[in-house]
Amino acid sequence: MAEDPAFPGDTGMRPERRSAAIAVADVVGSSVLVGMAPDAAHQALTHLQDTALVPLAVAHGACFQRSTGDGTLVEFPSADAALAWALAAQRAATATAADPRSLPIALRISIDVGEVLVAKGDITGQCVNIAARLQEHAPPGGLALSEAARQALTAPPPGLVNIGSVSLRNILGQVRVALLLPECPPRVPRPAPLEGRPAVAVLPFHAEDADEASRYFNEGAIEDIILSLGALHELAVIARGATLGWAAETYDPPTLGRMLGVRYLVSGRLRRRGDGLRLRVDLHETQEGDQLWSERFDIPLREIFLVQDHVVERTVAGIAPTIRAAELRMALRKPPQSLTAYDHTLRAMHALDGLKRDTFRAAEQHLQQAMLDDPGYATAAALAARWHSLAIGQAWSENPANDAAQLRELAHRAVRLDPRNALGHAISGHFRAYHLRDPESALPHLRRATEVGPSCALAWTLLSGSLSYLGRGAEALEAARRGLALSPLGADRYYYQFFEGLAQHVIGDQAAAARSMRLSLAESPGFTSAHRILIAALVAQDECAAAQAVAAEMMQCEPRFRISHYARERQPFADTALGRQLLDALRQSGAPD
């Protein structure tokens, strides 16, 4: 490439060897910028080159400069001159991006020193190659210096961070590197995630009254929301640092979605109200900018930190099912040949909603296809394990032993693929509790599920089940209500209501247990587990006629049900008294022995 006319360079007659410092500046995410707004991006990049990078290079004694379109390579006579230019260039880029309406242009700059060869209007050498590769390790808005460059400086800048040796592409050996981090991370555009999961960004909440209490609450709540959403494996949540500098009140959702590479945005507005704070949290999709969900919270200042967990829990409980519903609508509109593993998984979850026998097999087919399309997708394997568990529990299995083996293998596969997959740990635990009838050994797996996925509703709910099977009703009820709170609007609410009712039955609150079971059956009339606990709750209240009516409904759903077989194979209670009470109630209801 020809040299810039602003620099004398060589005459092209004979090569020249000389010692030099090479600085390389690159615009972060330039391909994303060009893809989103090609004309504006070209204009902004050209303006930065013409008004800042080139004039500053001349001012700091550059010997040679080459434009790379989205960056620049400059030769200086010394490392000190290269550093002075790099710092000035970063200040210029920061000033350019100071207007929040401008494109987010941030530079990565690297410096190396060594011998170069200048010939035919170009510059080559090992230090040129190292500098070009080294900029990939520089932080946006900051610098990366090789050890040779650092030692060549008269006065290294304060704040250099030694990160040790790194490998560079197409460079033999390793290079020791020191970084200079920016005082304030700049805005940078992000490419959309390559994986199929929808990506969501949680923006800093806009605080109208930036006092200390609102600032602490703002930072803590956002961090907790990001961590909680990140534990849900159906979402890809971008890091908090990527959203710094972006404000929902300055940009519209489509612009932010393109810049951050996300499909969904969570934003909030925090203001003082009397002796407390009022927070409004919104969820927008970024294609059309539509608001999908919103909730308002009033937070007393005296309880600000006590309320924070509640705000986070309610926010996650509103966002997660809303995004799932939006993604499902898109997946259902796609032709079968274009479905991804994630789309197949969504369709499987939809087919399982309500536990209807006529859609149950379709769920299995979608999960099998998802695992074929993406063998490393842990969530598909965990959901497939749950499918086999439900098949056994509903007596829909034609071969329970085979389904149990498949359940165990798939649950273990999910955990192997992703040790932080809460659903896989939860299903592994439930397999031990319900299918092996050993709830005590299930507890470590279920506790692990709630640790790695504190926002996974099913993990808390299945933990509640094991505690109920052991007769630990108070603990079971607490876990069940945690699971129900995390999934208040989901189509599988019937499942969470069942386990709440199971815990109520265990602690002896039979009226509450009966109410919960009727709510569960209202949403999933074929869920025979709820029939059985409802029968037990009714018999305990001497409502035998009502229990007989429920038993008749259960037999319509499960005509082959026999108490003797159920006692041997599926009766879940490890607590002997609870197990005997359930079987006695089934006999009193008239269910066949």
Side-chain angles (χ1 to χ4, degrees), residues 323-344:
I323 291 180
R324 177 189 163 192
E327 290 292 308
L328 176 62
R329 287 194 294 272
M330 288 188 282
L332 292 175
R333 289 197 295 264
K334 291 182 179 181
Q337 62 272 18
S338 67
L339 295 178
T340 65
Y342 179 70
D343 294 326
H344 279 293

Side-chain angles (χ1 to χ4, degrees), residues 124-480:
T124 58
Q126 182 73 340
C127 73
V128 175
N129 297 332
I130 289 176
R133 300 288 183 259
L134 190 59
Q135 62 83 19
E136 298 171 4
H137 292 266
L143 312 179
L145 283 73
S146 69
E147 177 66 11
R150 188 191 67 79
Q151 291 185 355
L153 292 171
T154 302
L160 277 178
V161 179
N162 189 343
I163 64 169
S165 299
V166 300
S167 297
L168 305 178
R169 288 188 297 119
N170 301 323
I171 301 294
L172 292 176
Q174 291 190 317
V175 176
R176 289 184 60 81
V177 179
L179 302 181
L180 185 63
L181 306 178
E183 292 184 5
C184 182
R187 294 177 297 135
V188 296
R190 291 170 49 90
L194 296 178
E195 56 193 63
R197 295 182 299 166
V200 58
V202 182
L203 301 177
F205 293 163
H206 175 67
E208 296 181 2
D209 303 292
D211 59 8
E212 187 174 9
S214 60
R215 180 171 63 85
Y216 277 119
F217 180 84
N218 194 343
E219 293 177 357
I222 291 171
E223 188 69 27
D224 285 351
I225 289 170
I226 290 172
L227 290 172
S228 297
L229 289 175
L232 301 174
H233 287 259
E234 66 266 28
L235 298 177
V237 185
I238 70 171
R240 182 181 177 187
T243 66
L244 295 176
W246 298 102
E249 64 272 14
T250 306
Y251 305 92
D252 59 31
T255 299
L256 280 168
R258 291 193 300 271
M259 292 295 182
L260 294 171
V262 296
R263 219 177 295 177
Y264 300 95
L265 291 169
V266 179
S267 60
R269 182 174 291 271
L270 189 67
R271 62 184 177 88
R272 291 295 294 265
R273 181 178 180 272
D275 60 349
L277 300 173
R278 170 164 286 181
L279 171 66
R280 173 177 165 169
V281 183
D282 299 310
L283 173 68
H284 287 85
E285 60 86 29
T286 60
Q287 290 185 334
E288 302 295 332
D290 295 336
Q291 179 176 292
L292 302 181
W293 172 87
S294 181
E295 187 155 345
R296 189 180 69 187
F297 304 92
D298 287 316
I299 306 162
L301 280 179
R302 64 183 181 277
E303 301 176 5
I304 188 168
F305 297 111
L306 297 176
V307 173
Q308 181 174 313
D309 288 345
H310 170 72
V311 170
V312 171
E313 185 174 278
R314 291 294 304 167
T315 299
V316 174
I319 290 171
T322 302
I323 291 180
R324 177 189 163 192
E327 290 292 308
L328 176 62
R329 287 194 294 272
M330 288 188 282
L332 292 175
R333 289 197 295 264
K334 291 182 179 181
Q337 62 272 18
S338 67
L339 295 178
T340 65
Y342 179 70
D343 294 326
H344 279 293
T345 302
L346 283 176
R347 288 196 174 195
M349 295 168 72
H350 179 58
L352 286 174
D353 287 345
L355 201 59
K356 301 177 181 67
R357 191 162 190 170
D358 58 344
T359 61
F360 192 68
R361 288 293 171 187
E364 180 192 27
Q365 293 167 5
H366 281 298
L367 290 169
Q368 287 177 343
Q369 189 61 51
M371 290 186 289
L372 283 174
D373 291 347
D374 185 355
Y377 190 19
T379 297
L383 284 171
R386 189 183 181 209
W387 184 94
H388 289 283
S389 176
L390 291 170
I392 298 170
Q394 283 293 107
W396 290 346
S397 173
E398 297 176 359
N399 188 337
N402 180 67
D403 276 313
Q406 289 290 316
L407 159 58
R408 183 173 192 169
E409 194 281 325
L410 287 165
H412 288 174
R413 183 196 302 181
V415 174
R416 286 197 306 271
L417 290 171
D418 182 0
R420 296 192 60 80
N421 188 288
L423 186 58
H425 286 289
I427 299 298
S428 290
H430 188 59
F431 170 77
R432 291 176 171 274
Y434 184 77
H435 300 282
L436 297 184
R437 304 171 76 180
D438 185 6
E440 191 69 52
S441 73
L443 290 180
H445 297 270
L446 293 161
R447 297 287 187 195
R448 177 62 175 162
T450 61
E451 289 168 2
V452 300
S455 297
C456 179
L458 191 62
W460 288 102
T461 296
L462 294 180
L463 171 61
S464 168
S466 283
L467 292 168
S468 287
Y469 303 152
L470 290 165
R472 294 160 62 174
E475 296 172 75
L477 186 57
E478 182 182 354

Side-chain angles (χ1 to χ4, degrees), residues 43 68 101 115 197 248 273 301 303 311 517 533 573 590:
Q43 182 178 359
T68 60
R101 295 166 297 181
E115 188 177 71
R197 295 182 299 166
R273 181 178 180 272
L301 280 179
E303 301 176 5
V311 170
M517 292 304 161
I533 301 302
F573 287 110

Side-chain angles (χ1 to χ4, degrees), residues 66-91:
R66 181 173 71 198
S67 172
T68 60
D70 57 355
T72 191
L73 181 152
V74 190
E75 178 202 359
F76 292 95
S78 69
D80 290 331
L83 176 64
W85 173 81
L87 295 174
Q90 287 292 20
R91 288 193 293 270

